[in-house]
Amino acid sequence: MNVKEGQVRIPSGCAIAAVLSRDGARISGERIVRAMGPMHDRSNGLGGGFAGYGIYPAYKDFYALHLFFDCRDTRKACEALLKEGFEIWHAERIPTRKLPAITDEPIIWRYFVSPMPSVLSDLQLDEAEYVVRTVMKINTGLKGAYVFSSGKNMGAFKAVGFPEDVGAYYRLEEYAGYSWTAHGRYPTNTPGWWGGAHPFTLLDWSVVHNGEISSYDANRRYLEMFGYQCHLQTDTEVITYAMDYLLRRQGLTLTEAASVVAAPFWSTIAQKADPAERAAYTYLRTVFSSLLITGPFSIVLGFTGGLMALNDRLKLRSMVVGEKGECVYIASEEAAIRAMEPEAEHIWSPMGGEPVIVRVKEGVAL
Amino acid sequence: MVKNVSGMDFRAVNDVIRAASGACELTGCCGQRFIAAGMSDREIILRGTPGNALGAYLNGASLTVLGNAQDAVGDTMNAGRIVVHGNIGDAAGYAMRGGEILVRGNAGYRAGIHMKAYRDKAPLLVIGGAAGSFLGEYQSGGVIVVLGLDVGEKRIVGNFPCTGMHGGKLYLRSDCADVRFPPQVTARPAGDGDLAEIEKILLDYCAAFGYGMDRIMRSPFTVVTPDTANPYQQMYVAN
């Protein structure tokens, strides 16, 4: 039997890329797959994945749950569990293409659902929190089932394989979205199972990550207090939950969340000229000290209507940003940006800890 | 010889270079790593975006990039020359011990990290624009010059320059009033002797990019050197 994430920890070079169109124009999934070609050697074939936003316009008001199952019985059990709290508006196998490069496929389904109002009022929970609890319940309690995407009008697609093959496997050229993120995996801590590929998602948040964070356990223990259960031992999972906690539950802005996880050094804070700015950084570092993420990382956080790219404060991983017209491109290497848009302009590298936030313009229908 | 290497992997690209009898020009580079690694007697012009570790272990060859270069250019190079007409990524000149890297634009983080000199070898890294944080980290030899040309209000170096530096020299074309150096280095304004030395170093640079020496030398320079050749002598054990 294959060893899965969570069962063994092997003490990462990876590749990330992203694109967003500020005017909301739909971009084919084919373009983001193309970005991964020049970065092929950054992955080792043990994981690739993508997240697309705006890809399910016909079901945009429903949570799109993407699930892996190990067998038919697990799927039946999971559907029974879902039906206790959700209306299932549509359910289907996620279309895939058989490829020699992609093997050991689980059963892959998607469900477009909405939580039942009666259940929500009974539990006195809002929709999002109920979806989060259901995801945690399935992922930790229902053996053989794993929810790998749970947002509205967005979806993650991931597998064991090289990212170019994973893109072809999921037929991403048949999807179009206003933003995409991508990841090629080179796992160093875990064996590389489908669920451990990136992006890691929760609700609309998705994270692709290149690096290896050394604060994993400190971050994990803190988040467990708030109901987040990290069971895959991969550091990206913890980043995703940290973002959900800071942004959704604590209501921080993206910039504030960035200065929690990639907080400036105390010496850098002391040099800030503006006392209010100094106080704000000090406050965030003090209150959320357990969510400081140390070690090398470059991440792209996807969310409804935008992307945030962020490096660790020492900038131990590379990240490049470029643009052309209304499109913004982010990648581990400039070559990946050129593969998406040969004429990309204003190529620049953000500083360590400096978040780059790009959004679809206000008023554009998503 | 001109060859479009679009879609080729790095081994194939290096085979093209090895097969070329004289100077060669490669167009359509897109992310291929290790281009010209270890090569000693070639003149190569690159168009597009060559990948990481361009000219790693370079041993005398001459590379010209008509665009941007990515990370770790000239990693551990021993001799030769790399001229980059755009910007250069992180860790440029990583552990280089000879030859020169001349950059027209900006450099990313950790330019010149672990640069060293060895016997008659003294590497040179010249950055025309601004350098990112940790410039000259652990530098133990050679010379790094940052000119800050056309960077506007931007500081010419990021945070924490010269961390762990214990050899070699930095010339920064600025009074560096707003730059914080670590305690184990000394930063002082360049004197006449230094300026003459800088001018000598920059002759090739000005020729490569068509800059006038007068314009560059019109600004003050700061010289940074470590206080002692072994600042960490007492840190763990006396040695």
Side-chain angles (χ1 to χ4, degrees):
Chain A
M1 185 195 145
N2 290 342
V3 184
K4 290 183 177 173
E5 248 72 358
Q7 296 172 338
V8 61
R9 185 171 167 89
I10 307 165
S12 158
C14 291
I16 59 174
V19 56
L20 175 135
S21 85
R22 283 184 288 228
D23 59 1
R26 294 300 194 263
I27 301 162
S28 162
E30 182 270 335
R31 195 186 312 185
I32 190 74
V33 177
R34 217 159 56 207
M36 304 313 280
M39 300 195 292
H40 181 84
D41 294 340
R42 297 182 77 99
S43 319
N44 68 351
L46 287 179
F50 302 84
Y53 287 82
I55 57 168
Y56 292 138
Y59 296 102
K60 65 184 167 62
D61 297 325
F62 305 111
Y63 289 92
L65 305 181
H66 290 190
L67 281 113
F68 294 138
F69 300 114
D70 60 352
C71 65
R72 186 168 177 274
D73 287 349
T74 307
R75 176 169 67 80
K76 291 288 176 197
C78 186
E79 284 176 3
L81 187 150
L82 283 175
K83 279 175 187 162
E84 287 172 18
F86 293 88
E87 296 284 1
I88 299 178
W89 296 88
H90 186 62
E92 63 184 356
R93 266 179 182 272
I94 295 185
T96 55
R97 176 185 281 133
K98 296 278 175 215
L99 291 177
I102 305 289
T103 56
D104 293 325
E105 310 154 66
I107 299 165
I108 312 169
W109 277 64
R110 64 185 161 208
Y111 300 85
F112 296 94
V113 304
S114 55
M116 291 176 192
S118 58
V119 173
L120 295 182
S121 65
D122 192 37
L123 292 169
Q124 300 188 337
L125 289 177
D126 67 20
E127 263 191 13
E129 184 60 26
Y130 182 64
V131 171
V132 168
R133 290 191 188 186
T134 306
V135 169
M136 295 292 160
K137 190 167 161 185
I138 294 172
N139 288 358
T140 57
L142 190 59
K143 197 170 174 300
Y146 182 72
V147 183
F148 63 100
S149 191
S150 54
K152 282 182 179 174
N153 201 9
M154 61 79 68
F157 302 89
K158 59 192 195 177
V160 171
F162 280 100
E164 307 94 296
D165 296 328
V166 174
Y169 173 77
Y170 279 108
R171 314 168 79 104
L172 291 190
E173 72 281 1
E174 294 171 7
Y175 296 82
Y178 59 82
S179 83
W180 288 93
T181 67
H183 186 261
R185 190 167 186 225
Y186 200 128
T188 48
N189 291 292
T190 60
W193 168 64
W194 286 52
H198 303 201
F200 276 87
T201 71
L202 188 65
L203 299 171
D204 299 347
W205 316 114
S206 67
V207 175
V208 288
H209 164 223
N210 167 19
E212 182 186 355
I213 65 176
S214 41
S215 54
Y216 170 77
D217 266 323
N219 304 143
R220 178 185 59 78
R221 279 194 298 271
Y222 183 76
L223 287 165
E224 276 178 354
M225 295 196 294
F226 308 103
Y228 297 96
Q229 296 175 51
C230 303
H231 59 294
L232 294 185
Q233 295 188 17
T234 86
D235 38 16
T236 313
E237 186 183 26
V238 90
I239 299 173
T240 309
Y241 298 163
M243 285 299 174
D244 181 62
Y245 176 72
L246 292 170
L247 297 167
R248 180 175 64 91
R249 293 186 44 184
Q250 292 295 329
L252 265 55
T253 64
L254 288 162
T255 315
E256 287 165 345
S259 65
V260 168
V261 298
F265 293 102
W266 290 116
S267 64
T268 311
I269 293 175
Q271 285 168 52
K272 301 274 176 199
D274 178 5
E277 200 186 353
R278 217 160 45 224
Y281 278 120
T282 304
Y283 176 83
L284 290 171
R285 258 205 91 160
T286 310
V287 173
F288 300 109
S289 59
S290 296
L291 288 180
L292 174 68
I293 296 177
T294 57
F297 66 84
S298 64
I299 58 170
V300 177
L301 170 75
F303 53 92
T304 296
L307 298 172
M308 177 172 79
L310 182 67
N311 260 129
D312 66 272
R313 56 210 180 145
L314 292 170
K315 197 169 188 289
L316 293 163
R317 288 293 179 272
S318 50
M319 168 121 67
V320 183
V321 182
E323 54 191 310
K324 178 71 183 175
E326 293 295 344
C327 278
V328 182
Y329 301 91
I330 301 163
S332 304
E333 296 185 19
E334 181 178 333
I337 294 178
R338 299 274 172 214
M340 288 187 276
E341 174 50 79
E343 305 300 320
E345 298 160 348
H346 309 123
I347 301 276
W348 62 289
S349 301
M351 305 220 305
E354 174 192 3
V356 177
I357 300 163
V358 290
R359 292 177 193 272
V360 175
K361 286 176 194 161
E362 256 179 75
V364 173
L366 298 175
Chain B
M1 186 209 65
V2 181
K3 171 85 178 170
N4 186 330
V5 297
S6 172
M8 292 168 75
D9 88 341
F10 68 85
R11 291 178 196 85
V13 172
N14 277 334
D15 286 343
V16 167
I17 298 173
R18 280 192 206 96
S21 49
C24 66
E25 179 172 335
L26 306 183
T27 62
C29 296
C30 191
Q32 294 95 342
R33 298 177 176 189
F34 314 121
I35 292 180
M39 292 192 186
S40 51
D41 58 351
R42 289 285 188 280
E43 269 186 50
I44 306 156
I45 294 173
L46 301 158
R47 294 181 190 272
T49 307
N52 295 353
L54 169 70
Y57 302 97
L58 201 70
N59 196 26
S62 166
L63 314 180
T64 302
V65 182
L66 300 174
N68 296 333
Q70 295 191 161
D71 298 338
V73 171
D75 184 341
T76 324
M77 78 187 264
N78 187 50
R81 179 195 248 205
I82 303 177
V83 178
V84 179
H85 282 254
N87 298 326
I88 198 164
D90 294 341
Y94 189 157
M96 69 188 286
R97 67 168 194 181
E100 54 189 41
I101 300 178
L102 311 178
V103 187
R104 178 175 210 137
N106 302 321
Y109 271 47
R110 301 188 167 77
I113 177 174
H114 256 303
M115 202 187 212
K116 61 200 72 170
Y118 179 71
R119 295 191 179 166
D120 59 333
K121 295 200 170 294
L124 170 68
L125 168 63
V126 185
I127 297 155
S133 297
F134 300 102
L135 171 71
E137 193 177 31
Y138 309 118
Q139 186 185 354
S140 71
V143 173
I144 301 174
V145 186
V146 184
L147 299 177
L149 297 167
D150 306 317
V151 297
E153 293 298 297
K154 198 175 162 187
R155 228 169 37 176
I156 76 165
V157 294
N159 294 328
F160 312 111
C162 308
T163 303
M165 177 184 188
H166 55 282
K169 201 179 262 187
L170 246 95
Y171 295 116
L172 303 170
R173 185 171 161 277
S174 161
D175 61 11
C176 291
D178 53 356
V179 180
R180 282 166 62 101
F181 293 98
Q184 93 283 358
V185 304
T186 298
R188 59 176 172 80
D192 288 345
D194 300 309
L195 293 172
E197 180 67 28
I198 293 168
E199 231 181 290
K200 212 167 83 189
I201 288 173
L202 290 178
L203 277 173
D204 274 2
Y205 187 86
C206 287
F209 297 116
Y211 285 123
M213 187 67 79
D214 291 355
R215 182 196 161 197
I216 291 179
M217 299 307 293
R218 220 176 285 146
S219 292
F221 274 83
T222 301
V223 185
V224 188
T225 48
D227 295 338
T228 133
N230 192 356
Y232 306 105
Q233 193 164 22
Q234 293 296 330
M235 189 174 260
Y236 303 110
V237 290
N239 58 1

